[in-house]
Amino acid sequence: MLFRSTDGYAGYHKLTENPESENGGITLVGCWAHARRKYDEALKAVGAKNAAAAVTIYQGREYCNQLFKIEEEIKSFPPEERTKLREKKARPVMEAYFAWAERNEPTVLPKSKLGEALGYSLKQRRHLGNYLLDGRLEISNNRAERSIKPFVSGRKNWLFSNTPKGADASAVIYSLIETAKEKDLNPFSYLQYLFEQLPNVDIQNPEILKKYLPWSKELPQICRNLQ
């Protein structure tokens, strides 16, 4: 099964689990940073005008903070152990949070910032809980968003790709570079190595290409020397 870390964008919901698909479908993993951010936005909107609402907002944010604190405490453990610790420590907090949200949602205006915060979490409940399924998954998609920031900022300069093929080529290059960075490779050295090696191999053979991927242990040391 494939996992995809996402925010609450409704378009992602079309990528739901489909057991009949070749890879068993995609399981969406919701982002708790987005859930917590909704309470920050609600707090700014309420200010000092509504003390009762502010208390409720603080309560919701504190539940989110507890989950992040647990992640900080267990981040050094191997994935299998993190899965067990999340079940023991995080699941009770999460269940208490959703029970609290269900109690409070009917008492606030749906279109208020607090109503939006509660509604967001409850609508995303299943996806937000999916990070408990595997210790390799993260509680938020912040790292993924940081990875796409360079070309999101860059497109303000180059505006758009002229052709679909150009867009596809850009997506491949961006994916390679950002994955290389995640694997502690030197992107320049890694790309230089690919440009030197790939013209001499059968790129139509997936088995051959595996040793050139960013996570391959067969990559030479020169690709791994970050400057």
Side-chain angles (χ1 to χ4, degrees), residues 1-4 29 36 41 101 110 120 163-164 169 192 202 220:
M1 180 175 288
L2 297 177
F3 294 97
R4 169 68 189 266
V29 181
R36 182 171 61 180
E41 294 170 358
Y120 178 90
T163 66
Q192 184 177 31
D202 179 10

Side-chain angles (χ1 to χ4, degrees), residues 3 79-80 82-83 86 130-138:
F3 294 97
E80 297 81 3
R82 280 202 299 273
T83 302
R86 283 172 175 173
N130 280 340
Y131 86 98
L132 300 178
L133 297 175
D134 193 313
R136 295 170 297 176
L137 301 174
E138 298 188 12

Side-chain angles (χ1 to χ4, degrees), residues 98-109:
F98 285 121
W100 170 88
E102 288 177 340
R103 290 195 305 270
N104 282 276
E105 187 189 32
T107 68
V108 302
L109 293 173

